[in-house]
Amino acid sequence: MARIVDKKAKQKEILQAAMRVFARKGVANTKMIDVAREAGIGKGTIYEYFSSREQMLHMAFSYLLHRIKKLVVQRIDAAMDPREKIRTGVLAYLDVATMKIEDYADILMDFWAQSVRQRGSQSDFSIDLQHIYQDYRDLVVPALEEGIQQGLFRPMDPEKVASALIATCEGLLLQWLADRENFDLMAHGQAAVALFLEAFQIPANSQQNNRPTMPAESTQVDRLS
Amino acid sequence: MARIVDKKAKQKEILQAAMRVFARKGVANTKMIDVAREAGIGKGTIYEYFSSREQMLHMAFSYLLHRIKKLVVQRIDAAMDPREKIRTGVLAYLDVATMKIEDYADILMDFWAQSVRQRGSQSDFSIDLQHIYQDYRDLVVPALEEGIQQGLFRPMDPEKVASALIATCEGLLLQWLADRENFDLMAHGQAAVALFLEAFQIPANSQQNNRPTMPAESTQVDRLS
Amino acid sequence: MARIVDKKAKQKEILQAAMRVFARKGVANTKMIDVAREAGIGKGTIYEYFSSREQMLHMAFSYLLHRIKKLVVQRIDAAMDPREKIRTGVLAYLDVATMKIEDYADILMDFWAQSVRQRGSQSDFSIDLQHIYQDYRDLVVPALEEGIQQGLFRPMDPEKVASALIATCEGLLLQWLADRENFDLMAHGQAAVALFLEAFQIPANSQQNNRPTMPAESTQVDRLS
Amino acid sequence: MARIVDKKAKQKEILQAAMRVFARKGVANTKMIDVAREAGIGKGTIYEYFSSREQMLHMAFSYLLHRIKKLVVQRIDAAMDPREKIRTGVLAYLDVATMKIEDYADILMDFWAQSVRQRGSQSDFSIDLQHIYQDYRDLVVPALEEGIQQGLFRPMDPEKVASALIATCEGLLLQWLADRENFDLMAHGQAAVALFLEAFQIPANSQQNNRPTMPAESTQVDRLS
DNA sequence: TATGAATGAGTCTTCATTCAT
DNA sequence: TATGAATGAAGACTCATTCAT
């Protein structure tokens, strides 16, 4: 019998090695040999676990998104209040980018560009961004609807607002990528969340007595960062 | 002087040819020979006007940004009311992406990825994204400050809010790129603007008489899309 | 002894698997892994029975030739008349190629090319084509000599004529390979045999009474296909 | 203006360099770098003249066949008598193989094998062997028909006989390839031609007076080599 | 004995850049 | 100034062979 190897585990190992290199050199500048060396294996070995560079990239991206989503979902689920869910979700998402370990944001950006470009190409590995965004929205929309239902948020189109919220997160990420040293991502994230929650707020005059909870906090948020 | 003018003009011609190719094939997939052919010149001739591919890319990106900014500034300047400036600016920015002529958004995305990727490399092509974002902010901040001053907007940190606004625009652009057919960029843009303006609004109860203009409109915006 | 027999048997099994793959994909396109899979064994196992790919190829070719020769010899031996031996030998040889089972001809062609190509190289796989042709000739020459002796064939250089006969067979095979659908190999084979037998015939005027057998047939052959 | 280069001429130069390498190492063992070095150019330069290795191979083969055919046709056309045309054509064809300069036969063999194997593959460069053989036949058939018409050859199926004749030539070539040192190709060729002409001969008894020419020669041919 | 995971030498091909004209 | 022929470094991928189990 030959060596027993956990194919899945080794694939994951290579993927993680790949992501470390991606973070250092960028996806486009990463050669197969770099990944091999980082993983401590031979060049050819990669091809035992991935059919091509492109497929490896694709799996790396999927893996990354999966990890991000898992983290964000966890934090959202832990929050009880709809406002808290929004705040927590946004900050969690941005936080992932801050995690230095694997430089998510960089890699994400690379993949994004690649996805956009591969749209319509013959490649089997183009990433389905539409579904990813829909996934994101499906995370945010319930919290918004819950807030509306509870009389915490004014009536709105939850899909559109979710899109805007997600857009803001990603846009802030971009700005942070452009200037990591000086751009305080979390502070901007908090300000943005406050802004959104402000907008969700039911106007004082039209407001009955359905805002008994957290008045202190809401006031606190009034001062936009 | 004639020589210099010629030089500049030809450079611009090449740049425009390059952008047409970028739009068709993506920045990463564009070869020097493609640009040369599109421009109707010889491959070597490009190097008479640009020192390297990287430098050409850099100039192309600058050129693109410059065009976008010019368009947006024009429209902002045409608006009188601070709220109108915000709305107009956002929509103008998004509109540029919708312009089919040169597929700006795609190219933009490509450049963005390149910039991020090549951060820290010794390359000729390190776009100063920080400055670009600062430029954007400098476009938005005055409108915000004007609004505050006029008592239209509640007090806020204009830099942070500007960042959030810009972030939202770019984030929406990303989502549109991911799904051009189904994602109605302008509708989302309008909803987002409405949301922001809502948040800027001075709470009804704390509001004196400093909102004499455009009450009708502001009400209209109340229903978030 | 049991071990040795097993070894030989397994080697033969692998060889047969290899030939099935050769027939499907061509010798040059056949990888060791293909052979292993076809044989239902592990890749490494092949190396227990053959020292290298080259050596395996060599043995496969020998095996193939051996099978062909055996079939042809059988049929020649079954014929009594020298003319019948010639006719039967040629048609038997061509028939083997027609056998769909293992696509002999294709493989043969591949091996031929390899042999020619690797002439003079240090490889394990230098097939001794000279000996193979000598073998073929040694099959034909006796029949010719017998025919001469019996006064059926005119005097000739049997070695040269045998070469020509063999050459014709292989040449026809080549043409058939080039156009299997339309080239009727057996019909061409029969025509060629008739032609040769015609040439072997002793001229009518110089002919005494030494052609008592098969006058009907010989007349029949007169009309060249 | 850039250097003026005769594209066609350079392509031919590279082709000839390639064929020299093919002759030395075999087509399959010839690397692009070998061809480049032999041609005294850079590796990349080859790709200025050929789109791929395969296409280069294809053109080399075409070139080779073209040269062979041209030579053979020349010699056939120079002969007046149908028998002379046959003899001359065969010997000319075999002669080309003997030309040491570019080791035609070797290369031919390689290409042949490759063609046979590529039949049915998706490659654009598979060689149309059927047409090549038809070309050969179209060279031989007229001579045969002329001979029949002139009453020199007995009635026959010219297409089939032509096939046999061509087959014999190629078969002899194969044998020569297998054993260049000892196999006297031209002698065998002459013997084969004599054999064929013998077979074409109209039987003495059925012969009227339509063979007045060259009785000496025909007798001479009677002794098969 | 059998295996298949691991390997890296070897190959084709691409393309930015150079430079002779 | 303009050109495009020439180049070679670089990189994805293949596959025969090895060897630990």
Side-chain angles (χ1 to χ4, degrees):
Chain A
M1 277 298 146
R3 241 158 315 173
I4 290 155
V5 175
D6 185 342
K7 277 260 175 192
K8 273 257 187 278
K10 184 126 189 187
Q11 201 182 47
K12 196 171 160 182
E13 260 175 53
I14 296 174
L15 238 31
Q16 285 169 333
M19 306 233 286
R20 288 194 298 275
V21 187
F22 292 161
R24 271 204 309 278
K25 324 182 65 165
V27 173
N29 293 326
T30 297
K31 320 301 170 203
M32 295 308 264
I33 184 70
D34 298 328
V35 175
R37 275 202 267 262
E38 176 75 26
I41 58 177
K43 190 164 30 104
T45 308
I46 298 179
Y47 290 87
E48 296 286 323
Y49 296 88
F50 304 94
S51 61
S52 68
R53 182 179 190 275
E54 205 174 354
Q55 197 235 343
M56 193 190 70
L57 255 43
H58 186 256
M59 292 202 69
F61 188 46
S62 294
Y63 178 72
L64 191 62
L65 287 175
H66 184 252
R67 281 192 60 180
I68 293 178
K69 196 181 162 186
K70 206 171 135 191
L71 274 164
V72 172
V73 167
Q74 264 176 7
R75 301 232 218 148
I76 289 179
D77 285 351
M80 302 306 302
D81 183 71
R83 282 169 299 197
E84 203 48 34
K85 278 182 195 290
I86 298 295
R87 183 198 319 279
T88 282
V90 167
L91 297 182
Y93 183 73
L94 298 179
D95 206 33
V96 171
T98 317
M99 292 169 65
K100 289 292 182 294
I101 310 178
E102 286 177 27
D103 261 322
Y104 289 116
D106 263 1
I107 305 178
L108 218 52
M109 187 70 208
D110 272 351
F111 280 123
W112 236 285
Q114 215 150 108
S115 303
V116 168
R117 264 309 160 191
Q118 277 176 8
R119 165 191 53 104
S121 95
Q122 75 299 349
S123 159
D124 289 339
F125 303 116
S126 64
I127 290 146
D128 195 352
L129 285 178
Q130 292 136 68
H131 286 177
I132 290 161
Y133 278 119
Q134 195 53 56
D135 267 17
Y136 283 167
R137 270 176 231 128
D138 291 348
L139 236 51
V140 176
V141 164
L144 294 176
E145 284 173 338
E146 200 187 329
I148 298 167
Q149 203 121 45
Q150 292 182 15
L152 293 169
F153 298 162
R154 73 171 70 191
M156 61 175 102
D157 178 339
E159 286 278 335
K160 279 220 173 54
V161 172
S163 284
L165 201 57
I166 293 160
T168 312
C169 289
E170 298 208 322
L172 288 175
L173 218 49
L174 284 179
Q175 290 179 47
W176 175 75
L177 282 174
D179 187 14
R180 269 171 240 245
E181 273 67 46
N182 307 310
F183 190 86
D184 184 342
L185 179 58
M186 295 319 285
H188 277 85
Q190 274 165 335
V193 166
L195 206 56
F196 271 86
L197 290 180
E198 203 64 50
F200 296 165
Q201 193 122 218
I202 291 170
N205 51 357
S206 71
Q207 155 180 9
Q208 292 89 27
N209 53 349
N210 49 8
R211 246 178 94 222
T213 42
M214 324 184 66
E217 197 206 0
S218 95
T219 321
Q220 176 194 355
V221 198
D222 265 33
R223 297 277 84 72
L224 296 178
S225 102
Chain B
M1 185 67 186
R3 277 281 173 68
I4 290 164
V5 168
D6 278 352
K7 195 102 180 167
K8 278 248 191 267
K10 185 129 187 185
Q11 204 179 44
K12 195 170 160 185
E13 260 175 52
I14 296 174
L15 242 28
Q16 285 171 330
M19 307 254 290
R20 288 194 297 276
V21 186
F22 293 160
R24 273 205 307 279
K25 325 180 60 163
V27 174
N29 294 325
T30 297
K31 324 297 172 207
M32 294 307 265
I33 181 69
D34 298 326
V35 175
R37 273 203 267 261
E38 176 76 26
I41 59 174
K43 212 179 346 152
T45 310
I46 297 180
Y47 289 86
E48 298 291 327
Y49 296 90
F50 304 94
S51 64
S52 70
R53 183 181 189 273
E54 296 263 295
Q55 198 241 335
M56 192 192 71
L57 254 39
H58 186 262
M59 294 200 70
F61 191 40
S62 297
Y63 177 72
L64 186 63
L65 289 174
H66 183 252
R67 282 190 59 179
I68 293 177
K69 194 179 162 188
K70 204 170 139 192
L71 274 164
V72 173
V73 166
Q74 264 175 5
R75 300 231 220 148
I76 289 180
D77 286 352
M80 301 308 302
D81 181 72
R83 279 169 301 195
E84 202 48 34
K85 280 182 194 291
I86 297 296
R87 184 198 319 278
T88 283
V90 166
L91 297 182
Y93 183 72
L94 297 179
D95 207 32
V96 170
T98 318
M99 291 168 65
K100 291 291 179 293
I101 312 177
E102 284 179 31
D103 259 322
Y104 289 117
D106 263 357
I107 305 178
L108 216 52
M109 188 74 207
D110 274 346
F111 279 126
W112 237 284
Q114 290 238 0
S115 307
V116 170
R117 193 178 295 145
Q118 304 206 343
R119 152 193 60 105
S121 92
Q122 74 301 349
S123 105
D124 287 340
F125 180 70
S126 53
I127 288 165
D128 197 351
L129 287 178
Q130 295 133 67
H131 287 177
I132 289 159
Y133 279 117
Q134 196 52 56
D135 266 18
Y136 282 166
R137 268 176 234 126
D138 292 348
L139 235 51
V140 177
V141 165
L144 292 175
E145 282 173 338
E146 198 186 329
I148 297 168
Q149 203 121 45
Q150 294 181 14
L152 294 169
F153 300 163
R154 71 171 73 191
M156 60 175 103
D157 177 339
E159 287 278 335
K160 280 220 173 53
V161 172
S163 284
L165 202 57
I166 293 160
T168 311
C169 289
E170 299 209 321
L172 288 175
L173 219 49
L174 285 179
Q175 291 180 46
W176 175 75
L177 281 174
D179 187 15
R180 270 170 236 243
E181 273 68 44
N182 307 308
F183 191 86
D184 184 341
L185 180 58
M186 296 318 286
H188 277 86
Q190 274 164 336
V193 167
L195 205 57
F196 271 87
L197 291 180
E198 203 65 49
F200 297 165
Q201 192 123 219
I202 291 170
N205 51 357
S206 71
Q207 165 177 0
Q208 292 91 27
N209 56 347
N210 49 8
R211 245 179 95 222
T213 42
M214 325 184 63
E217 196 207 3
S218 94
T219 321
Q220 176 195 357
V221 199
D222 264 33
R223 294 281 82 73
L224 299 177
S225 96
Chain C
M1 185 68 188
R3 279 278 174 66
I4 291 165
V5 169
D6 279 351
K7 195 101 181 172
K8 278 249 190 271
K10 186 130 187 184
Q11 204 180 44
K12 194 172 161 185
E13 262 175 50
I14 296 174
L15 241 30
Q16 285 171 331
M19 308 253 291
R20 287 195 298 276
V21 186
F22 292 161
R24 274 205 306 280
K25 325 179 61 164
V27 173
N29 293 325
T30 296
K31 325 294 173 208
M32 293 308 264
I33 182 69
D34 298 325
V35 174
R37 272 203 269 261
E38 176 76 25
I41 58 174
K43 213 183 342 157
T45 310
I46 296 180
Y47 289 86
E48 299 291 327
Y49 296 90
F50 304 95
S51 63
S52 71
R53 184 180 189 274
E54 296 262 295
Q55 199 241 334
M56 192 191 71
L57 254 40
H58 187 261
M59 294 201 68
F61 191 42
S62 295
Y63 177 72
L64 186 64
L65 289 175
H66 183 252
R67 281 190 59 182
I68 292 177
K69 193 180 163 188
K70 206 171 135 191
L71 274 163
V72 173
V73 166
Q74 265 175 5
R75 300 230 218 151
I76 289 181
D77 285 351
M80 299 308 301
D81 182 73
R83 279 169 299 195
E84 203 49 34
K85 277 181 196 291
I86 297 297
R87 183 197 318 279
T88 283
V90 166
L91 297 182
Y93 183 73
L94 297 179
D95 206 33
V96 171
T98 318
M99 290 169 65
K100 291 288 179 295
I101 312 178
E102 285 179 29
D103 259 323
Y104 289 116
D106 263 356
I107 306 178
L108 217 53
M109 187 73 206
D110 274 345
F111 279 124
W112 237 286
Q114 288 237 0
S115 307
V116 170
R117 194 179 294 145
Q118 304 205 347
R119 157 191 55 104
S121 93
Q122 75 301 348
S123 107
D124 287 340
F125 181 70
S126 53
I127 288 167
D128 197 351
L129 287 177
Q130 293 133 70
H131 286 177
I132 289 159
Y133 279 118
Q134 196 52 55
D135 267 17
Y136 283 165
R137 269 177 234 127
D138 291 349
L139 236 51
V140 177
V141 164
L144 293 176
E145 283 174 338
E146 201 186 327
I148 298 169
Q149 202 121 46
Q150 294 182 15
L152 295 169
F153 300 162
R154 72 171 72 191
M156 61 176 101
D157 178 338
E159 286 280 332
K160 281 221 172 56
V161 172
S163 284
L165 201 56
I166 294 160
T168 310
C169 288
E170 299 208 322
L172 288 175
L173 220 49
L174 284 179
Q175 290 180 46
W176 176 74
L177 282 173
D179 188 15
R180 270 172 238 245
E181 274 68 45
N182 305 310
F183 191 85
D184 185 341
L185 180 57
M186 295 318 286
H188 276 85
Q190 274 165 336
V193 167
L195 205 56
F196 271 87
L197 290 180
E198 203 64 50
F200 296 166
Q201 193 122 220
I202 290 170
N205 51 357
S206 71
Q207 162 179 3
Q208 289 90 27
N209 55 345
N210 47 7
R211 245 178 95 223
T213 42
M214 325 183 63
E217 198 206 2
S218 94
T219 319
Q220 177 193 356
V221 200
D222 264 35
R223 296 276 82 75
L224 298 176
S225 96
Chain D
M1 279 298 146
R3 238 159 317 173
I4 290 155
V5 175
D6 184 342
K7 277 260 177 193
K8 273 258 187 277
K10 184 126 188 186
Q11 202 183 46
K12 196 170 160 184
E13 259 175 53
I14 296 175
L15 239 31
Q16 284 169 332
M19 305 232 287
R20 287 195 297 275
V21 186
F22 293 160
R24 271 206 307 280
K25 324 182 64 165
V27 173
N29 293 326
T30 297
K31 320 301 171 202
M32 294 309 265
I33 184 67
D34 298 328
V35 175
R37 275 203 267 262
E38 175 76 26
I41 59 176
K43 194 161 30 104
T45 308
I46 298 180
Y47 289 86
E48 296 286 323
Y49 295 89
F50 304 95
S51 62
S52 68
R53 183 181 189 276
E54 206 174 353
Q55 197 236 340
M56 193 190 71
L57 255 43
H58 186 256
M59 294 201 68
F61 190 44
S62 294
Y63 178 71
L64 190 61
L65 288 175
H66 184 253
R67 280 192 60 179
I68 292 177
K69 196 181 161 185
K70 206 171 137 192
L71 273 163
V72 173
V73 166
Q74 264 175 7
R75 300 232 219 147
I76 289 181
D77 285 351
M80 301 307 301
D81 181 71
R83 281 170 297 196
E84 202 48 34
K85 277 180 195 290
I86 298 295
R87 183 198 319 278
T88 282
V90 167
L91 297 183
Y93 183 72
L94 297 179
D95 205 33
V96 171
T98 318
M99 292 168 65
K100 289 292 181 294
I101 309 177
E102 285 177 28
D103 261 322
Y104 289 117
D106 263 0
I107 306 177
L108 216 53
M109 187 71 208
D110 272 350
F111 279 124
W112 236 282
Q114 215 153 104
S115 304
V116 168
R117 264 307 160 194
Q118 276 177 10
R119 164 190 55 103
S121 95
Q122 74 298 348
S123 158
D124 288 339
F125 303 116
S126 64
I127 291 147
D128 196 352
L129 287 179
Q130 293 135 66
H131 286 178
I132 289 161
Y133 278 119
Q134 196 52 57
D135 267 18
Y136 284 167
R137 268 178 232 126
D138 291 348
L139 235 54
V140 177
V141 165
L144 293 176
E145 283 172 338
E146 199 186 329
I148 297 168
Q149 203 122 44
Q150 293 183 14
L152 293 169
F153 299 163
R154 71 171 71 191
M156 60 176 101
D157 178 339
E159 286 277 333
K160 280 219 172 56
V161 171
S163 285
L165 200 57
I166 293 161
T168 310
C169 290
E170 298 208 323
L172 289 175
L173 217 49
L174 285 179
Q175 292 180 44
W176 175 73
L177 282 174
D179 187 16
R180 272 171 237 245
E181 272 69 45
N182 306 309
F183 190 86
D184 184 341
L185 180 57
M186 296 319 284
H188 277 85
Q190 274 164 335
V193 167
L195 207 54
F196 271 85
L197 291 180
E198 202 63 50
F200 296 166
Q201 192 124 217
I202 291 171
N205 51 356
S206 71
Q207 159 180 5
Q208 289 90 26
N209 54 347
N210 47 6
R211 249 179 90 221
T213 41
M214 327 182 65
E217 195 205 2
S218 95
T219 320
Q220 174 193 359
V221 197
D222 264 33
R223 295 279 85 71
L224 298 178
S225 99

